[in-house]
Amino acid sequence: MEWYLPIIWAGLIGTAVALYVILDGFDLGIGILFPSAREDKEQDQMINSIAPFWDGNETWLVLGGGGLWVAFPRAYAVVMPALYLPVIVMLLALVFRGVAFEFRTVADTSKKYWTFAFAGGSTLAAFCQGLILGGLIQGIKVENGAFSGGAFDFATPFAALCGFGVVTGYALLGACWLVMKTEGPVAERAHAHAKLLLFGVLAFMAVVSLWTPYQFPRIRERWFSPPNIFFLWPVPAITALTAYLAWRWLEMGRDVGPFLAAIALFMLGYAGLAISVFPYLVPYSITVWDAAAAPASQIFMLLGTLPLLPIILMYTGFVYWLFRGKLREGEGYH
């Protein structure tokens, strides 16, 4: 087996997941923040700020899940039964949220119910993604290459902590998005929320950073044994600097800076998790090479994926450029 093919596919899937977390994270964050709006017109402004983008953002979730199935079928066969419950609840929440998004726009007498569905679906989807993340980090029971645990093995205090952390992080992304894209009371309230949520995200990152090396010896060895510690210490240092910049930019009333800093915080956390578990796709039993499909299958799928990926990225970038600028009260794209 060509050793580099699984690395390429791991990079592609990792990139897809990162793009999903960034792009769908802020519009899930809008839903999480929905109850903070005081009037329908403020909720309309919030939801209109993501109207051109939200459905395209979930493209990356499809690429991540489909890529895992195609390139790493052994890992897919273990991860799915281990995390089936949070995965199916997440997908149902995303579907319900999508329906609520469209129906709320045209609803009259039932608008408040679709508002609740949009906020609830967004929050539940984010929480389930955190459960999935926590379930992966804490490890999955594998015997003879197959899942050997129970349906609720993922349900631990650590996974719940990750769930609440993801909800808080997405809310931060959503608040910073509203600071960047809206004007008026919505932007002012989002500015205040972003400051509080920044402290919440840092608190969750600190607890996870202390919990994981304490509970999982492999992660402790990866981060704190020499010579790794000498190379990896910049990660928490840069995280602290990024958080400081986010706070300063919020204090200075910047529009774009806080959103970029929130993205950077997510990517630093993502990098930290990758450092903790790589090269395992199923921690801590199946590596990327153990789980890889036949080289011919990987190459065949690369022939389709590599040409299409730049096209999708260019189209996505064009959409964001086309709908650049702030959204004022009363404006919309529907």
Side-chain angles (χ1 to χ4, degrees):
M1 177 185 295
E2 288 80 355
W3 66 269
Y4 57 86
L5 286 175
I7 298 297
I8 293 173
W9 269 107
L12 286 173
I13 293 171
T15 300
V17 172
L19 286 169
Y20 173 78
V21 166
I22 295 170
L23 299 179
D24 208 38
F26 72 77
D27 68 57
L28 285 169
I30 299 299
I32 295 168
L33 292 172
F34 231 45
S36 68
R38 295 176 181 173
E39 301 177 2
D40 278 353
K41 66 179 183 179
E42 292 185 2
Q43 292 178 336
D44 292 341
Q45 188 180 5
M46 292 169 69
I47 206 168
N48 283 332
S49 73
I50 60 170
F53 316 109
W54 74 276
D55 48 355
N57 292 340
E58 293 175 357
T59 301
W60 305 106
L61 180 63
V62 176
L63 177 58
L68 183 67
W69 175 54
V70 169
F72 303 105
R74 285 190 62 196
Y76 185 89
V78 170
V79 169
M80 287 306 295
L83 301 172
Y84 178 80
L85 289 176
V87 168
I88 196 65
V89 172
M90 177 196 72
L91 294 176
L92 290 173
L94 290 174
V95 170
F96 203 67
R97 171 181 176 272
V99 172
F101 188 103
E102 298 296 343
F103 276 41
R104 186 187 178 279
T105 305
V106 297
D108 186 12
T109 58
S110 61
K111 190 172 185 177
K112 62 181 180 180
Y113 302 112
W114 294 116
T115 295
F116 175 79
F118 179 71
S122 300
T123 305
L124 183 58
F127 183 74
C128 287
Q129 289 175 20
L131 288 180
I132 294 167
L133 174 63
L136 283 172
I137 294 173
Q138 66 193 11
I140 296 174
K141 295 179 181 178
V142 178
E143 291 183 6
N144 300 319
F147 174 59
S148 61
F152 293 94
D153 282 3
F154 70 90
T156 64
F158 177 76
L161 175 73
C162 291
F164 289 117
V166 169
V167 171
T168 306
Y170 283 175
L172 174 64
L173 281 174
C176 291
W177 172 264
L178 291 174
V179 169
M180 182 176 69
K181 291 291 290 184
T182 63
E183 295 180 349
V186 170
E188 293 171 5
R189 195 171 298 113
H191 188 273
H193 290 154
K195 289 183 177 180
L196 294 174
L197 290 165
L198 177 60
F199 283 110
V201 168
L202 291 176
F204 278 112
M205 292 180 74
V207 173
V208 170
S209 297
L210 294 173
W211 192 328
T212 47
Y214 174 77
Q215 184 169 346
F216 309 114
R218 290 177 181 268
I219 294 178
R220 181 170 62 249
E221 182 179 353
R222 176 67 57 88
W223 281 91
F224 296 106
S225 62
N228 292 4
I229 190 173
F230 303 114
F231 297 104
L232 298 179
W233 70 264
V235 176
I238 295 172
T239 301
L241 176 61
T242 303
Y244 170 76
L245 290 175
W247 176 261
R248 286 289 300 161
W249 287 332
L250 285 169
E251 285 283 286
M252 295 167 64
R254 299 285 180 86
D255 293 334
V256 180
F259 184 64
L260 296 179
I263 291 174
L265 281 177
F266 260 87
M267 291 301 95
L268 287 164
Y270 188 62
L273 293 173
I275 291 169
S276 297
V277 302
F278 189 82
Y280 291 98
L281 271 181
V282 181
Y284 300 91
S285 53
I286 300 178
T287 67
V288 292
W289 296 282
D290 297 331
S297 298
Q298 296 180 66
I299 293 172
F300 178 76
M301 292 304 299
L302 280 175
L303 294 176
T305 303
L306 292 180
L308 286 175
L309 194 58
I311 297 173
I312 297 172
L313 287 170
M314 286 188 292
Y315 172 77
T316 301
F318 173 73
V319 171
Y320 279 86
W321 177 83
L322 185 65
F323 294 99
R324 66 194 182 279
K326 286 183 174 288
L327 186 73
R328 298 178 179 87
E329 293 182 73
E331 293 181 337
Y333 302 113
H334 281 89

